Amino acid sequence: YSVCMGSKNDYDGTICDSKGKVSSQIISKLNILLENNIIIAFATGRGDSIIKQLRKNVPRQYWEKVLIGYYNGSYISNLAEESELQGGDSSELKKFYDMVKQMLPFGGEIIDKGYQLSIREGDTNKLLLYFEILNELKYTYGFDNVQVFMSGHAIDIVSNDSGKQKVVEYIKSMCHGSVLCIGDEGRLYENDFEVLAKNMGLSSKHQNKLGESGWNLAPLGVSNVKATEYYFSKIKILENGFIMEEFK
């Protein structure tokens, strides 16, 4: 059994709040899972800035069991490895980057991370407008190998050979058990949609419309980190993995 944590930008909204404070309750349960040989993965929009936070909260002997899919799964390594993120090599992604930078008068911050282009904007209405324009550019000019994801405060652009599902498949190649996926952005075009829709998934905030997976089963009014804490309270450790206790 494994757990894959996906969220809008690293683990914000899923295991830590908007101020970056990590939930001690969730970390405690994650370390218990690691102690019982259960692999944990984080599919994040960040680069290697997540390493310091995780190493501070996870004992050294478990680092090799913690996987990180940087830049929405563009690059995967474990917590024990020193990350060397040199940037992607997709020529189509680079062409799309250039078009975005030249054509669009974004008011927000544009960050070229090599593997990923990120646009940050505090105004939600502007962010939605940018998201629509970017998708029109993608389809109008035939950028079929580019993906555009939106979260509550940013837009991430990556190549088609990236994505958080890539992290789930990486876990499956390492073990024969099931993978539980938890994320907060589970609606169509949000960056947790694919992993929550395709796998056994729980949403800590937004749920997809079909409701065949990626369920939000948290109590009414409970969301984000508090919802994840609720889900983790339902985890029961077994000799060869874990189960989720009944939701009431």
Side-chain angles (χ1 to χ4, degrees):
Y1 287 73
S2 302
V3 178
C4 180
M5 308 285 290
S7 60
K8 57 191 178 186
N9 184 28
D10 85 36
Y11 41 21
D12 297 342
T14 304
I15 75 167
C16 71
D17 61 25
S18 58
K19 296 181 180 179
K21 183 178 179 181
V22 179
S23 166
S24 58
Q25 180 179 330
I26 295 173
I27 287 295
S28 177
K29 184 57 72 76
L30 286 175
N31 285 329
I32 291 173
L33 292 171
L34 291 167
E35 183 181 348
N36 284 271
N37 296 314
I38 294 167
I39 297 171
I40 306 294
F42 295 90
T44 168
R46 280 197 192 189
D48 54 13
S49 60
I50 189 177
I51 292 177
K52 184 177 181 180
Q53 290 177 303
L54 286 177
R55 286 181 174 175
K56 181 179 179 181
N57 290 284
V58 177
R60 175 66 181 82
Q61 64 264 35
Y62 302 142
W63 287 1
E64 292 186 357
K65 297 177 186 177
V66 179
L67 300 176
I68 307 171
Y70 304 96
Y71 300 139
N72 290 295
S74 299
Y75 178 90
I76 302 173
S77 67
N78 67 51
L79 189 57
E81 296 174 321
E82 293 297 333
S83 174
E84 296 182 2
L85 305 182
Q86 301 298 325
D89 57 2
S90 170
S91 58
E92 185 166 4
L93 195 58
K94 291 176 181 178
K95 290 178 181 178
F96 192 74
Y97 286 0
D98 292 339
M99 179 174 290
V100 169
K101 292 173 183 177
Q102 292 174 11
M103 294 182 62
L104 301 181
F106 289 120
E109 181 183 12
I110 303 176
I111 305 171
D112 187 346
K113 300 178 179 179
Y115 283 101
Q116 172 179 289
L117 184 70
S118 293
I119 299 170
R120 296 178 182 175
E121 170 60 64
D123 187 321
T124 303
N125 291 328
K126 288 183 179 180
L127 195 68
L128 181 59
L129 173 62
Y130 298 162
F131 178 74
E132 292 174 346
I133 293 173
L134 287 167
N135 274 291
E136 287 192 13
L137 282 175
K138 166 182 160 63
Y139 290 111
T140 300
Y141 292 94
F143 286 96
D144 298 329
N145 293 321
V146 170
Q147 301 181 81
V148 182
F149 298 114
M150 180 175 174
S151 68
H153 65 281
I155 296 170
D156 293 331
I157 306 165
V158 297
S159 64
N160 271 359
D161 58 2
S162 302
K164 294 184 177 182
Q165 181 63 21
K166 184 178 176 182
V167 181
V168 177
E169 297 303 326
Y170 192 91
I171 297 174
K172 290 180 178 179
S173 71
M174 297 175 63
C175 61
H176 300 291
S178 300
V179 180
L180 171 65
C181 299
I182 302 175
D184 63 340
E185 301 285 354
R187 296 180 298 198
L188 183 64
Y189 298 123
E190 293 180 338
N191 61 12
D192 292 329
F193 171 76
E194 185 178 25
V195 292
L196 295 185
K198 288 186 175 182
N199 304 284
M200 179 172 59
L202 293 170
S203 173
S204 62
K205 188 176 180 182
H206 297 152
Q207 177 179 315
N208 65 61
K209 297 297 189 293
L210 290 181
E212 295 184 1
S213 184
W215 309 288
N216 186 336
L217 301 179
L220 185 64
V222 176
S223 64
N224 295 108
V225 176
K226 292 299 181 183
T228 307
E229 290 177 345
Y230 172 74
Y231 295 147
F232 271 54
S233 73
K234 296 293 184 179
I235 291 177
K236 181 179 179 180
I237 305 296
L238 302 178
E239 183 177 352
N240 61 344
F242 67 90
I243 60 171
M244 302 292 290
E245 295 180 338
E246 182 180 356
F247 290 90
K248 297 180 180 180

